[in-house]
CSV table of all heavy atoms in Angstrom, one decimal:
chain,number,residue,atom,x,y,z
A,38,ARG,N,1.4,23.1,-6.0
A,38,ARG,CA,0.5,23.9,-5.1
A,38,ARG,C,-0.8,24.4,-5.8
A,38,ARG,O,-0.7,24.5,-7.1
A,38,ARG,CB,1.3,25.1,-4.5
A,38,ARG,CG,1.6,26.2,-5.5
A,38,ARG,CD,2.5,27.2,-4.9
A,38,ARG,NE,2.9,28.3,-5.8
A,38,ARG,CZ,3.8,29.2,-5.6
A,38,ARG,NH1,4.4,29.3,-4.4
A,38,ARG,NH2,4.1,30.1,-6.5
A,39,GLN,N,-1.8,24.7,-5.0
A,39,GLN,CA,-3.0,25.2,-5.7
A,39,GLN,C,-3.6,26.2,-4.7
A,39,GLN,O,-4.0,25.8,-3.5
A,39,GLN,CB,-4.0,24.1,-6.0
A,39,GLN,CG,-5.2,24.6,-6.8
A,39,GLN,CD,-6.0,23.4,-7.3
A,39,GLN,OE1,-6.0,22.3,-6.8
A,39,GLN,NE2,-6.8,23.7,-8.4
A,40,ALA,N,-3.8,27.4,-5.2
A,40,ALA,CA,-4.6,28.4,-4.4
A,40,ALA,C,-6.0,28.5,-4.8
A,40,ALA,O,-6.4,28.1,-5.9
A,40,ALA,CB,-3.8,29.8,-4.7
A,41,PRO,N,-6.8,29.0,-3.9
A,41,PRO,CA,-8.3,29.0,-4.3
A,41,PRO,C,-8.5,29.8,-5.5
A,41,PRO,O,-8.0,30.8,-5.7
A,41,PRO,CB,-8.8,29.7,-3.0
A,41,PRO,CG,-8.0,29.4,-1.9
A,41,PRO,CD,-6.6,29.4,-2.6
A,42,GLY,N,-9.4,29.2,-6.4
A,42,GLY,CA,-9.6,29.8,-7.7
A,42,GLY,C,-8.6,29.8,-8.7
A,42,GLY,O,-8.8,30.4,-9.8
A,43,LYS,N,-7.5,29.1,-8.4
A,43,LYS,CA,-6.4,29.1,-9.5
A,43,LYS,C,-6.1,27.7,-9.8
A,43,LYS,O,-6.4,26.8,-9.1
A,43,LYS,CB,-5.1,29.8,-8.9
A,43,LYS,CG,-5.2,31.3,-8.6
A,43,LYS,CD,-3.9,31.8,-8.2
A,43,LYS,CE,-4.0,33.3,-8.0
A,43,LYS,NZ,-2.7,33.9,-7.7
A,44,GLU,N,-5.4,27.5,-10.9
A,44,GLU,CA,-5.0,26.2,-11.4
A,44,GLU,C,-3.8,25.6,-10.6
A,44,GLU,O,-3.0,26.4,-10.0
A,44,GLU,CB,-4.6,26.3,-12.9
A,44,GLU,CG,-5.7,26.6,-13.9
A,44,GLU,CD,-6.8,25.5,-13.9
A,44,GLU,OE1,-6.4,24.3,-14.1
A,44,GLU,OE2,-8.0,25.8,-13.7
A,45,ARG,N,-3.7,24.3,-10.5
A,45,ARG,CA,-2.6,23.7,-9.8
A,45,ARG,C,-1.4,24.0,-10.7
A,45,ARG,O,-1.4,23.9,-11.9
A,45,ARG,CB,-2.8,22.1,-9.7
A,45,ARG,CG,-1.8,21.5,-8.9
A,45,ARG,CD,-2.1,19.9,-9.0
A,45,ARG,NE,-1.8,19.5,-10.3
A,45,ARG,CZ,-2.1,18.2,-10.7
A,45,ARG,NH1,-2.8,17.4,-9.9
A,45,ARG,NH2,-1.9,17.8,-11.9
A,46,GLU,N,-0.2,24.2,-10.0
A,46,GLU,CA,1.0,24.4,-10.6
A,46,GLU,C,2.1,23.7,-10.0
A,46,GLU,O,2.1,23.4,-8.7
A,46,GLU,CB,1.3,26.0,-10.7
A,46,GLU,CG,1.6,26.5,-9.3
A,46,GLU,CD,2.1,28.0,-9.4
A,46,GLU,OE1,2.7,28.3,-10.4
A,46,GLU,OE2,2.0,28.6,-8.3
A,47,ALA,N,3.0,23.2,-10.8
A,47,ALA,CA,4.3,22.6,-10.3
A,47,ALA,C,5.2,23.6,-9.7
A,47,ALA,O,5.5,24.7,-10.4
A,47,ALA,CB,4.9,21.8,-11.4
A,48,VAL,N,5.7,23.4,-8.5
A,48,VAL,CA,6.6,24.3,-7.8
A,48,VAL,C,8.0,23.9,-8.0
A,48,VAL,O,8.9,24.7,-8.3
A,48,VAL,CB,6.3,24.3,-6.3
A,48,VAL,CG1,7.3,25.2,-5.5
A,48,VAL,CG2,4.8,24.8,-6.1
A,49,ALA,N,8.3,22.6,-7.8
A,49,ALA,CA,9.7,22.0,-8.0
A,49,ALA,C,9.6,20.6,-8.2
A,49,ALA,O,8.7,19.9,-7.7
A,49,ALA,CB,10.5,22.3,-6.7
A,50,THR,N,10.6,20.1,-8.9
A,50,THR,CA,10.7,18.6,-9.2
A,50,THR,C,12.1,18.2,-8.9
A,50,THR,O,13.1,18.9,-9.0
A,50,THR,CB,10.4,18.3,-10.6
A,50,THR,OG1,11.4,18.7,-11.5
A,50,THR,CG2,9.1,18.9,-11.0
A,51,ILE,N,12.3,16.9,-8.6
A,51,ILE,CA,13.6,16.2,-8.4
A,51,ILE,C,13.4,14.8,-8.9
A,51,ILE,O,12.5,14.1,-8.6
A,51,ILE,CB,14.1,16.2,-7.0
A,51,ILE,CG1,15.5,15.6,-6.8
A,51,ILE,CG2,13.1,15.6,-6.0
A,51,ILE,CD1,16.1,15.9,-5.5
A,52,ASP,N,14.3,14.4,-9.9
A,52,ASP,CA,14.2,13.1,-10.4
A,52,ASP,C,15.1,12.0,-9.7
A,52,ASP,O,15.8,12.4,-8.7
A,52,ASP,CB,14.5,13.1,-11.9
A,52,ASP,CG,16.0,13.4,-12.3
A,52,ASP,OD1,16.9,13.3,-11.4
A,52,ASP,OD2,16.2,13.7,-13.6
A,53,GLY,N,15.1,10.9,-10.2
A,53,GLY,CA,15.9,9.8,-9.5
A,53,GLY,C,17.4,10.0,-9.6
A,53,GLY,O,18.1,9.3,-8.8
A,54,PHE,N,17.9,10.9,-10.4
A,54,PHE,CA,19.3,11.2,-10.5
A,54,PHE,C,19.7,12.5,-9.7
A,54,PHE,O,20.9,12.7,-9.6
A,54,PHE,CB,19.7,11.5,-11.9
A,54,PHE,CG,19.3,10.3,-12.8
A,54,PHE,CD1,18.2,10.4,-13.6
A,54,PHE,CD2,20.0,9.2,-12.9
A,54,PHE,CE1,17.8,9.4,-14.5
A,54,PHE,CE2,19.7,8.2,-13.8
A,54,PHE,CZ,18.6,8.3,-14.5
A,55,GLY,N,18.7,13.1,-9.0
A,55,GLY,CA,19.0,14.3,-8.2
A,55,GLY,C,18.8,15.6,-9.0
A,55,GLY,O,19.1,16.7,-8.4
A,56,TRP,N,18.5,15.6,-10.3
A,56,TRP,CA,18.4,16.8,-11.0
A,56,TRP,C,17.1,17.5,-10.6
A,56,TRP,O,16.0,16.8,-10.4
A,56,TRP,CB,18.3,16.5,-12.5
A,56,TRP,CG,19.6,15.9,-13.1
A,56,TRP,CD1,20.8,16.0,-12.5
A,56,TRP,CD2,19.7,15.2,-14.3
A,56,TRP,NE1,21.7,15.3,-13.3
A,56,TRP,CE2,21.1,14.8,-14.3
A,56,TRP,CE3,18.8,14.8,-15.3
A,56,TRP,CZ2,21.6,14.1,-15.5
A,56,TRP,CZ3,19.4,14.0,-16.4
A,56,TRP,CH2,20.7,13.8,-16.4
A,57,THR,N,17.1,18.8,-10.5
A,57,THR,CA,16.0,19.6,-10.0
A,57,THR,C,15.5,20.6,-11.0
A,57,THR,O,16.3,21.1,-11.8
A,57,THR,CB,16.3,20.2,-8.7
A,57,THR,OG1,17.5,21.1,-8.9
A,57,THR,CG2,16.7,19.2,-7.6
A,58,THR,N,14.2,20.9,-10.9
A,58,THR,CA,13.7,22.1,-11.7
A,58,THR,C,12.8,22.9,-10.7
A,58,THR,O,12.3,22.4,-9.7
A,58,THR,CB,12.9,21.6,-12.9
A,58,THR,OG1,11.6,21.1,-12.4
A,58,THR,CG2,13.6,20.7,-13.8
A,59,TYR,N,12.6,24.2,-11.1
A,59,TYR,CA,11.8,25.1,-10.2
A,59,TYR,C,11.0,26.0,-11.1
A,59,TYR,O,11.3,26.4,-12.2
A,59,TYR,CB,12.7,26.0,-9.3
A,59,TYR,CG,13.6,25.2,-8.3
A,59,TYR,CD1,14.8,24.8,-8.7
A,59,TYR,CD2,13.0,24.9,-7.1
A,59,TYR,CE1,15.6,24.1,-7.7
A,59,TYR,CE2,13.7,24.2,-6.1
A,59,TYR,CZ,15.0,23.8,-6.5
A,59,TYR,OH,15.8,23.1,-5.6
A,60,ALA,N,9.8,26.3,-10.6
A,60,ALA,CA,9.0,27.3,-11.2
A,60,ALA,C,9.7,28.7,-11.1
A,60,ALA,O,10.4,28.9,-10.2
A,60,ALA,CB,7.6,27.5,-10.6
A,61,ASP,N,9.6,29.5,-12.1
A,61,ASP,CA,10.3,30.8,-12.1
A,61,ASP,C,9.9,31.7,-10.9
A,61,ASP,O,10.7,32.3,-10.4
A,61,ASP,CB,9.9,31.6,-13.4
A,61,ASP,CG,10.6,31.0,-14.6
A,61,ASP,OD1,11.5,30.3,-14.5
A,61,ASP,OD2,10.1,31.4,-15.7
A,62,SER,N,8.7,31.5,-10.4
A,62,SER,CA,8.3,32.3,-9.3
A,62,SER,C,8.9,31.9,-8.0
A,62,SER,O,8.9,32.7,-7.0
A,62,SER,CB,6.7,32.2,-9.1
A,62,SER,OG,6.4,30.8,-8.9
A,63,VAL,N,9.6,30.8,-7.9
A,63,VAL,CA,10.2,30.4,-6.6
A,63,VAL,C,11.7,30.2,-6.7
A,63,VAL,O,12.3,29.9,-5.7
A,63,VAL,CB,9.6,29.1,-6.1
A,63,VAL,CG1,8.1,29.2,-6.0
A,63,VAL,CG2,10.0,27.9,-6.9
A,64,LYS,N,12.3,30.4,-7.9
A,64,LYS,CA,13.8,30.2,-8.0
A,64,LYS,C,14.4,31.1,-7.1
A,64,LYS,O,14.2,32.3,-7.0
A,64,LYS,CB,14.1,30.5,-9.5
A,64,LYS,CG,13.8,29.4,-10.5
A,64,LYS,CD,14.2,29.6,-11.9
A,64,LYS,CE,14.0,28.5,-12.8
A,64,LYS,NZ,14.4,28.8,-14.2
A,65,GLY,N,15.5,30.6,-6.5
A,65,GLY,CA,16.3,31.4,-5.5
A,65,GLY,C,15.7,31.4,-4.2
A,65,GLY,O,16.4,31.9,-3.2
Side-chain angles (χ1 to χ4, degrees):
R38 68 185 181 188
Q39 187 167 25
K43 295 187 177 181
E44 294 293 309
R45 186 186 69 191
E46 64 173 339
V48 176
T50 69
I51 183 168
D52 69 12
F54 306 100
W56 296 340
T57 60
T58 69
Y59 296 92
D61 288 342
S62 60
V63 307
K64 285 182 178 178

